């Protein structure tokens, strides 16, 4: 008989794996990806595919160069790529997208030690880097180009948020267009319906919990209304749904407890509304999530779960 | 009410319908003097002595200890130090069996007529927590103020996958459980005696209900089939709504918990004078040819159990004493059945393979599944950072090592292993702190 294996309990594990979770996230992103192609045309597919491939390749190359274990198989880099693409305008030159991918994977993720060690969301941070590096290209909103043709104000290509910021509310797309996503914006952020579909899938698969997205969206809704802005448009505009459903639920850079996640959503919501209302950028979701990422360790400490029967420490 | 974590582990109770069969007496048994928590028993026999079934071979050495009795008749071959791989350490008595199973002449049903004599009988029976913990039952029942205890919970949750030995106790020894419950009520004067059984065992539940419905203060409570309902603090909370505070015992909230097989072992001793010398064990796992329940003398090698169940097939890679969530991996098939052994499981290579550990993605699953409301990922982090003070802050001491965290971790982190190591690290730090404080005091 061969040697018996001695290991510490438990001796059985459930079927969840990191790769399986990432696969679920990619599936959940698919409706929004499809919507982006319908709304913005085939180039959207090109940008998404480019980033989805570039990120894992960059990760593999970096790990190879440093002689580290290859981890691209866990699909997390692929998720980062898709999320980054979703945060770019459809016309972004591919080399600029590549710079963004490199920022996400090398700068934010690998330099901090790889998956699980980065404190900031790679896709969000890369987007902010690109906003600073390529301000013009990042604001070149195309609108239409897909099945719906050049429906809304393709010339200026303003997003609803810029219109609101400019006081040009008369030009806002109708609510139905906002829900479907036929409006100016980053390529993956516009279709509320598609994003919500992905969110429901993630909830059903228990990949995410409702806490952070619900707190985030609700805070923006209520706080916008208090400031006298149309709360529905505020929720449907910009990258709010994309950020709330897919970025404020990123495991690594958000708290682990229900209470922590509520605080995270609340904080991100408040910062978003403040930037939108008073900041020089019309959009605040990326900054708010990044700021909350930075605060996450502190939130984690303040909202640490109370042990069952535990005495106060 | 707080919703405690836990996991929906697979049940795999395929042996539930298998009535236990006695295995043939093995040629040799090994009885460790330390089959319980507390001080090891002291051997009172030496090589060459003839012994009979039920004869005392190791006496309790101290309050938290338990006596050990011969499980076969025959001759003491040797008293030796046992290989301490599994932490059994201490001495053990090896008996060569004569195959006769002659009972010891001195066995007599003890006279039990009040609390004191009842507790004395429990002590002499050699019974320890048979659910797996192995804590001496007499110690558990010896309470300064019994009137403060208003609940005795009989644990029939049997939440570990595979194991059905408690199920068999509830089905095959229902009368003994009724008698036991009456004894507890009579001698300890405890008002409420509640059986807790998981909902996946409808037959035992209805069997128990037959008598509890007739008796005042007795009740069967159906628990959700979610691991670990049988964990002491979980069971207490589910049935009484009481929380055992940190550093306190169930007694402090007026509750005593006994495993159901523990109770029948006590009753058997009180009725016949035969102490705990054999045990119903579930033999199962992918490498077992004919899984089933067996009754084995304590000290029988695991190999004799598997042999009785048709032998082992294929590439056996892992053998467990106990269930897959909390059981101990046996280093060899010579390991003896202990008092608290309720299962012997054998797995083939495929099921034994350890999943590859990948980096923690901070998903929080370990947190949401922990029944004790702990943050297991922080234990691993604190351990790696070598920060015992963080371990203390996150209360690693409250962890019952149920394994829910590691079970549900998608990154397959070996969290329970890190927790065990963490506890050692914290203890060492506390000991060092204490020593330093004493040195300082001495210097002053
Ligand atoms: S379940 Fe595993 S991966 Fe998730 S937070 Fe806990 S240790 Fe990390
Ligand atoms: S092993 Fe400890 S930390 Fe892990 S789930 Fe069980 S009680 Fe919680």
């Amino acid at each position: 008989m061969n040697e018996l294996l001695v290991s510490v309990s438990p001796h059985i594990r459930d079927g969840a794996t990191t790769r399986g979770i990432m696969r679920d996230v990619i599936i959940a992103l698919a409706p929004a990806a499809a919507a982006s192609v319908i709304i913005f045309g085939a180039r959207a597919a090109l940008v998404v595919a480019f980033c989805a491939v570039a990120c894992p390749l960059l990760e593999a190359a970096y790990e190879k160069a440093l002689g580290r274990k290859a981890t691209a198989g866990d699909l997390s880099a692929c998720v980062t790529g898709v999320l980054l693409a979703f945060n770019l305008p459809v016309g972004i030159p591919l080399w600029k997208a590549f710079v963004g991918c490199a920022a996400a994977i090398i700068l934010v993720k690998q330099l901090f030690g790889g998956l699980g060690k980065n404190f900031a969301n790679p896709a969000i941070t890369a987007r902010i880097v690109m906003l600073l590096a390529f301000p013009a290209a990042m604001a070149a909103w195309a609108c239409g180009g897909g099945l719906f043709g050049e429906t809304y104000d393709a010339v200026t290509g303003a997003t609803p948020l810029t219109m609101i910021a400019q006081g040009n509310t008369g030009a806002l797309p109708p609510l139905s267009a906002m829900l479907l996503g036929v409006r100016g914006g980053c390529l993956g952020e516009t279709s509320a319906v598609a994003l919500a579909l992905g969110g429901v899938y993630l909830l059903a698969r228990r990949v995410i919990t409702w806490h952070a997205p619900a707190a985030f969206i609700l805070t923006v809704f209520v706080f916008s209304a208090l400031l006298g802005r149309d709360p529905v448009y505020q929720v449907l505009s910009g990258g709010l749904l994309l950020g709330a459903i897919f970025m404020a639920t990123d495991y690594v850079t958000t708290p682990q407890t229900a209470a922590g996640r509520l605080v995270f959503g609340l904080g991100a919501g408040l910062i978003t509304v403040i930037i939108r209302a008073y900041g020089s950028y019309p959009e605040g979701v990326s900054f708010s999530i990044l700021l909350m990422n930075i605060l996450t360790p502190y939130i984690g400490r303040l909202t640490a779960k109370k042990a069952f029967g535990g005495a106060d420490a | 009410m707080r919703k405690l974590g836990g996991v929906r582990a697979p049940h795999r109770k395929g042996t539930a319908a298998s009535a236990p069969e006695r295995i043939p007496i093995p040629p040799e048994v090994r009885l460790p003097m330390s089959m319980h928590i507390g001080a090891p028993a002291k051997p009172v026999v030496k090589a060459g002595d003839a012994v009979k079934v039920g004869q005392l071979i190791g006496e309790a050495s101290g309050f938290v200890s338990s006596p050990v009795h011969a499980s076969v008749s025959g001759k003491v071959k040797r008293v030796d130090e046992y290989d301490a791989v599994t932490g059994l350490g201490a001495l053990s008595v090896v008996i060569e069996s004569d195959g006769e199973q002659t009972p010891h002449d001195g066995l007599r049903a003890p006279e039990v007529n009040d609390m004191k004599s009842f507790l004395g009988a429990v002590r002499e029976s050699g019974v320890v927590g048979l659910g797996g913990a192995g804590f001496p039952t007499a110690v558990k029942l010896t309470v300064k103020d019994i009137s403060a205890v208003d609940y005795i919970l009989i644990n029939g949750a049997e939440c570990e996958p595979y194991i059905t030995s408690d199920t068999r106790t509830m089905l095959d020894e229902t009368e003994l459980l009724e008698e036991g419950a009456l004894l507890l009520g009579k001698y300890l004067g405890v008002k409420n005696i509640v059986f807790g059984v998981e909902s996946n065992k409808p037959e035992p539940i209805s069997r128990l209900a037959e008598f509890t419905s007739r008796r005042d203060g007795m009740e069967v409570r159906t628990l959700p089939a979610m691991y670990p309902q049988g964990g002491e603090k979980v069971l207490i909370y589910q049935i009484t709504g009481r929380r055992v505070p940190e550093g306190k015992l169930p007694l402090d909230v007026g509750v005593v918990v006994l495993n159901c097989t523990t109770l029948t072992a006590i009753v058997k001793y009180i009725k016949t004078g035969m102490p705990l010398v054999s045990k119903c064990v579930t033999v199962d796992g992918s490498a077992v040819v004919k899984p089933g329940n067996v009754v084995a003398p304590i000290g029988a090698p695991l190999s004799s159990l598997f042999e009785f169940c048709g032998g082992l097939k294929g590439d056996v890679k892992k053998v467990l004493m106990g269930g897959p969530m909390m059981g101990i991996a046996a280093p060899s098939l010579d390991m003896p059945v202990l008092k608290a052994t309720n299962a012997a499981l054998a797995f083939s290579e495929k099921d034994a393979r350890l999943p590859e550990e990948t980096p923690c993605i901070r998903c929080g699953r370990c947190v949401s599944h922990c029944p004790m409301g702990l943050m297991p990922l922080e234990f691993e982090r604190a351990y790696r950072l070598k920060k015992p003070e963080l371990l203390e802050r996150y209360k690693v001491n409250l962890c019952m090592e149920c394994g829910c965290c590691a079970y549900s971790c998608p990154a397959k982190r070996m969290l329970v292993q890190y927790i065990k190591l963490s506890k050692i690290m914290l203890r060492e730090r506390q000991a060092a702190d204490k020593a330093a404080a004493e040195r300082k005091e001495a210097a002053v």
Side-chain angles (χ1 to χ4, degrees), chain A residues 5 7 11 14 308-309 311, chain B residues 2 246 317-318 324 372 412:
Chain A
L5 175 68
S7 62
H11 306 282
D14 76 2
F308 178 66
Chain B
R2 181 170 176 154
E246 187 175 354
K317 195 67 194 167
K318 198 182 239 183
M372 292 294 107
K412 311 295 167 198

Side-chain angles (χ1 to χ4, degrees), chain B residues 16 74 85 112 201 286 323 388:
Chain B
V85 189
V112 172
K201 302 174 193 66
S286 58

Side-chain angles (χ1 to χ4, degrees), chain A residues 2-5 7 9-14 16-18 69 116 206 251 256 261 305-309 311, chain B residues 2 245-246 315-318 320 324-325 327 352 356 360-363 365 367 372-373 395 406-407 410 412 416:
Chain A
N2 45 10
E3 289 256 307
L4 289 179
L5 175 68
S7 62
S9 58
H11 306 282
I12 49 172
R13 309 294 191 90
D14 76 2
T17 60
T18 301
K69 214 169 124 238
R206 293 172 186 258
Y251 293 147
Q256 277 75 48
R261 288 168 178 169
K305 211 163 161 182
K306 175 123 168 45
F308 178 66
Chain B
R2 181 170 176 154
E246 187 175 354
D315 228 359
V316 180
K317 195 67 194 167
K318 198 182 239 183
L320 301 180
M325 292 301 289
E356 194 200 347
C360 167
I361 51 173
R362 306 186 65 76
C363 66
R365 279 175 174 71
V367 178
M372 292 294 107
K395 299 195 185 297
Y407 177 86
K412 311 295 167 198
V416 176

